[in-house]
Amino acid sequence: MPKQKIVLIGNGMAGMRAIEEIKKLRPDDFDITVFGTEPYPNYNRIQLSKVLQGDTEVKDITLNEWSWYEENDILLYPGETVVKVDKKSQVVFTDKGREANYDYLILATGSNPFMLPLPGVDKEGVTAFRDIKDCEKMIEYSKKYKKAAVIGGGLLGLEAARGLLNLGMEVDVIHIADYLMERQLDREAGHMLQTELEKQGMNFLLEKQTVEIIGRNRVTGLRFSNGDRIKADLVVMAVGIKPNVSLALETDLEVNRGIVVNDFMETDTPNIFAVGECAEHNQMVYGLVAPLYEQGKALAKRICKLEDKGYKGSILSTQLKVSGVDVFSSGNIKEYDSMKTIKLKDDWRGTYKKITIENDHITGAVLFGDTREGNKLLSFIKKGVQIEEYLALGEQTESNESLVAEMPDDELICGCNGVTKGTIVQAIQTQGLSSVEQVKGCTNASRSCGTCKSLVSELLEYTLGDEYSETQQETICGCTTLSKDEVIAEIKEKGLTHTREVMNVLGWSTEEGCSKCRPALNYYLGMINPIDYKDERESRFVNERLHANIQNNGTYSVVPRMYGGVTNSEDLRKIADVADKYEVGMIKLTGGQRIDLLGVQKEDLPKIWADLGMASGHAYAKSVRTVKTCVGADFCRFGTQDSVGMGIQIERKFEGLNTPHKVKMGVSACPRNCAEGGVKDVGVVGLDGVWEIYVGGNGGVELRKAELLVKVKTQEEVLEYIGAFLQDYRENAKYLERTSAYVERVGINHIQEVLEDKQKRDALNQSMEIALSAVQEPWSEAIRNGTLLRDLYEKVKVSE
Ligand SMILES: Cc1cc2nc3c(=O)[nH]c(=O)nc-3n(C[C@H](O)[C@H](O)[C@H](O)COP(=O)(O)OP(=O)(O)OC[C@H]3O[C@@H](n4cnc5c(N)ncnc54)[C@H](O)[C@@H]3O)c2cc1C
Ligand code: SF4
């Protein structure tokens, strides 16, 4: 018997999910043909925001690859639009002259972005934010122009605005209401959101009605109803969507706002179905994937002739996908006289929670700043749980048990795909899953917006226990299940820019992090993005925060830089004068050939630095500290090279460079090695016509002899190899890993292999140059910055 034919119009998220559901139920029962106007395989439209924000590339958001269609025996016509449906003879016709017969027709034509009918809307530089094409257009524009205006302060507008900021544009968001996301948030949360986004660089024009898009052919600005104008080279319209019903109308199907369907997604013609944003169920048109996927299930069961109660409508929940800002909203959040609310606002943490209660049942929730309870509340709202039950649960959660351990099996982990804890745990147990990717493949959890990824990871840990831990690498600290390498990869992939954001986005178990991860994240972020990253002083240890070493009696020490251990009478005089003026406790020569002024009061530090007028010696920092030198060829009978000159060059080049741990160097001019390069992080030894470079030595607690990295001829090559080695160490060592431990761990042979490759060496040096270009002299910076002076050096006893 020939198979029955299904034709799907619209290769988007809802239509293809319906097909996937059909394939799951009856893998071989149908011939399936798919038409899609867009020239791509089915992709994750939700993730377009992430593409625009630079977290993800277009190629990474494909849901079903070309090969998937082939393997599943599905005929796909990409870039082809169905222009006509003949209901009687059950045939569709496309713009390429193709015809296809169907037994079942599914319309999943999605929505069209709503473009305000303003004068000038057709001008070049006006775009919607709906598909890959729009996304690419914005990326192109950002390369040529600076000013963008986003009309619409809803979810989509804000995600677009964040993306445009990431692309380097200045962004004005124009919103007609007096607070943001007014459909999902209340005024309180809307204002908190605005403050947070303003901090990220967005500019808001609220209660503004755009009346004209200005410009000749290309947009140059906007005019508002009150006569105000702003400049804009790009205008993104994000004011809403309208169901794409044109084909349905021509086919004479019943259409209201969307294509009218029953609980089985049948239109008024029983073998024609509609699903997704183009469909209207019970007078509701949905614009989020969770309900569309539920619709797909009901439709699949109907076509596969399985008993089902059908689709009964959905309770919505939304989450804003903007890094560093957590917003969740679900159910009915508007306040009426008949209802009660619980509101908790924590100005200090910047969090807000509102729960709406009707007849003792939870009916809606808004979360800002901490959305971890989001899915739980969504489940409760769906089930209409009594508020007492929720409050009682809150008391139990005071215990230290993991959040996922306490969840009931029917609680949702993935809101988009409706996947519960029970389903995931069962899949892990019965199918031997051990990674988030496997859970995603098996259950669909975290396959859409991806915000539940960390919960899935926690569930794996909870279900597999030690077994899961064994498959994981060493984590940064107890606040995360991620290793250093994973965190670095995520920072790069998601374009994360500050420690709080990393913790939020990567699901840290503590809000503030800890003394282990905070400085580490601060270092990794600065290493990855040395130019734009703003160092977070509060994430540094006290010595680094104050640019001086705290001593056991609460006083500090001051160590000015002395390049290569060389000084002069003028500097010595200044040091002596300062020592007298501030009555320093002791003047001491350090092992790194510098002068240490000990016993200084904290409030005197900036004054001493100003009086000295010398650079900081970074004696307190995880950074390049000293380059010790021997007297070398100029004075010594044995010296064959200019060790002092070489040492000064090295120190001047790398001074102030942030490194995973302190870095000390030594340059000697003969194998007698007076500068003790054998126990330095980098030791350089001059022989006749040759420089030997040693790395990974340590004279501290873990005594370790440095290993020969390479022999080179010129001073330029010495700098080139040290630059490449230090950058390799910066990129690959764990924070607080000395070079000795790093060299031991990865092996000198591996480092030699990397550095011998000229291309790799050059690339490392290029990154090094970028990092060096961002180095600032910390003492003079502190003196210049009045706020810092006040905050850090005013007379308060430091207890650390
Ligand atoms: C930037 C962005 C961010 C979003 N973020 C979220 C989010 O965080 N969470 C969430 O739940 N939802 C989000 N959404 C909404 C979500 O993407 C949509 O709800 C979902 O994609 C709708 O699925 P659909 O299949 O109905 O429509 P679509 O995915 O739009 O698919 C419809 C397809 O049909 C094609 N088509 C139309 N007419 C024809 C024809 N005649 N012939 C052939 N093909 C045709 C279209 O070209 C289109 O590819 C976001 C949307 C955007 C644009
Ligand atoms: S290392 Fe060689 S040149 Fe330098 S001081 Fe010692 S002996 Fe002299």
Side-chain angles (χ1 to χ4, degrees), residues 252-537:
D252 216 10
L253 299 175
E254 187 190 348
V255 172
N256 191 20
R257 246 189 88 212
I259 307 165
V260 177
V261 292
N262 62 15
D263 288 1
F264 305 98
M265 309 318 288
E266 288 165 327
T267 63
D268 57 352
T269 308
N271 64 339
I272 301 185
F273 297 77
V275 69
E277 284 186 350
C278 64
E280 179 178 320
H281 173 266
N282 212 3
Q283 284 152 33
M284 285 292 294
V285 176
Y286 296 94
L288 293 168
V289 294
L292 314 184
Y293 288 171
E294 287 176 43
Q295 294 177 352
K297 274 192 182 154
L299 178 154
K301 289 209 173 131
R302 190 59 154 195
I303 290 184
C304 295
K305 302 214 164 24
L306 295 170
E307 265 310 304
D308 186 44
K309 58 183 185 340
Y311 174 69
K312 300 290 176 202
S314 303
I315 288 173
L316 295 180
S317 76
T318 42
Q319 237 165 310
L320 181 68
K321 303 189 298 299
V322 168
S323 303
V325 191
D326 288 324
V327 182
F328 169 89
S329 160
S330 176
N332 171 34
I333 56 126
K334 300 273 177 253
E335 294 174 43
Y336 308 106
D337 290 345
S338 61
M339 67 173 34
K340 294 196 174 102
T341 58
I342 293 177
K343 289 185 192 172
L344 296 171
K345 187 167 180 223
D346 183 336
D347 275 332
W348 172 245
R349 289 200 175 85
T351 57
Y352 175 69
K353 168 154 85 175
K354 169 163 124 177
I355 297 177
T356 53
I357 306 149
E358 284 180 82
N359 301 324
D360 296 342
H361 294 273
I362 302 178
T363 51
V366 176
L367 301 175
F368 183 89
D370 179 359
T371 53
R372 283 175 299 177
E373 266 195 353
N375 276 345
K376 181 200 287 186
L377 283 164
L378 175 61
S379 285
F380 284 7
I381 295 164
K382 282 187 171 178
K383 286 188 270 178
V385 162
Q386 293 230 342
I387 187 70
E388 272 81 13
E389 199 180 315
Y390 167 77
L391 294 173
L393 211 80
E395 279 153 28
Q396 284 166 24
T397 346
E398 295 298 309
S399 75
N400 273 342
E401 273 196 63
S402 133
L403 190 71
V404 288
E406 288 164 2
M407 286 180 176
D409 274 357
D410 62 351
E411 188 159 324
L412 278 178
I413 296 287
C414 172
C416 292
N417 293 282
V419 191
T420 60
K421 170 184 165 181
T423 309
I424 296 176
V425 170
Q426 201 194 9
I428 294 170
Q429 284 167 342
T430 57
Q431 310 202 30
L433 312 181
S434 61
S435 71
V436 176
E437 276 309 301
Q438 286 172 340
V439 173
K440 185 169 160 185
C442 223
T443 65
N444 276 332
S446 87
R447 198 174 161 214
S448 301
C449 76
T451 41
C452 62
K453 219 167 160 184
S454 61
L455 273 183
V456 173
S457 171
E458 272 182 52
L459 260 187
L460 274 159
E461 198 178 0
Y462 157 74
T463 315
L464 297 175
D466 289 348
E467 222 181 292
Y468 182 62
S469 312
E470 275 163 25
T471 61
Q472 303 303 299
Q473 299 174 57
E474 188 191 337
T475 65
I476 287 192
C477 68
C479 305
T480 176
T481 53
L482 300 172
S483 69
K484 166 221 138 205
D485 288 342
E486 286 169 327
V487 169
I488 288 184
E490 293 276 0
I491 291 175
K492 289 183 181 164
E493 194 197 318
K494 298 197 161 71
L496 306 178
T497 53
H498 52 274
T499 50
R500 276 295 186 104
E501 188 186 18
V502 175
M503 293 174 196
N504 279 337
V505 175
L506 303 186
W508 242 239
S509 62
T510 51
E511 244 182 57
E512 302 285 328
C514 66
S515 59
K516 209 169 163 193
C517 60
R518 271 204 321 268
L521 291 179
N522 186 46
Y523 169 74
Y524 296 138
L525 285 160
M527 181 270 290
I528 292 165
N529 196 359
I531 300 294
D532 293 328
Y533 181 64
K534 193 168 170 312
D535 189 56
E536 289 174 32
R537 202 173 292 265

Side-chain angles (χ1 to χ4, degrees), residues 8-16 34-38 42-50 77 80-84 107-112 129-131 155-156 159-160 241 244 246-247 275-279 286-293 317-321 416 448-449:
L8 168 68
I9 309 177
N11 185 29
M13 295 189 76
M16 281 316 295
V34 180
F35 293 100
T37 303
E38 294 183 78
N42 175 33
Y43 67 89
N44 191 342
R45 199 174 297 284
I46 297 179
Q47 304 268 8
L48 280 179
S49 305
K50 299 199 165 190
Y77 291 107
E80 197 157 335
T81 301
V82 174
V83 289
K84 194 176 157 206
L107 285 151
T109 49
S111 289
N112 291 322
F129 183 25
R130 178 71 195 174
D131 54 27
L155 205 78
L156 207 59
E159 289 182 10
I241 48 174
N244 178 4
S246 51
L247 193 62
V275 69
E277 284 186 350
C278 64
Y286 296 94
L288 293 168
V289 294
L292 314 184
Y293 288 171
S317 76
T318 42
Q319 237 165 310
L320 181 68
K321 303 189 298 299
C416 292
S448 301
C449 76

Side-chain angles (χ1 to χ4, degrees), residues 110-182:
S111 289
N112 291 322
F114 181 64
M115 301 301 275
L116 292 170
L118 299 173
V121 71
D122 299 333
K123 289 191 201 308
E124 196 193 316
V126 181
T127 181
F129 183 25
R130 178 71 195 174
D131 54 27
I132 290 182
K133 212 168 39 16
D134 298 331
C135 213
E136 285 173 344
K137 188 169 174 181
M138 288 187 240
I139 294 171
E140 266 316 294
Y141 254 74
S142 72
K143 291 180 187 154
K144 285 192 260 169
Y145 302 106
K146 265 261 134 318
K147 282 222 70 174
V150 175
I151 305 182
L155 205 78
L156 207 59
L158 297 177
E159 289 182 10
R162 179 63 252 185
L164 294 167
L165 277 182
N166 284 19
L167 291 170
M169 297 193 87
E170 290 163 24
V171 187
D172 289 325
V173 177
I174 295 102
H175 195 45
I176 197 151
D178 60 347
Y179 68 93
L180 300 175
M181 286 180 66
E182 78 283 2

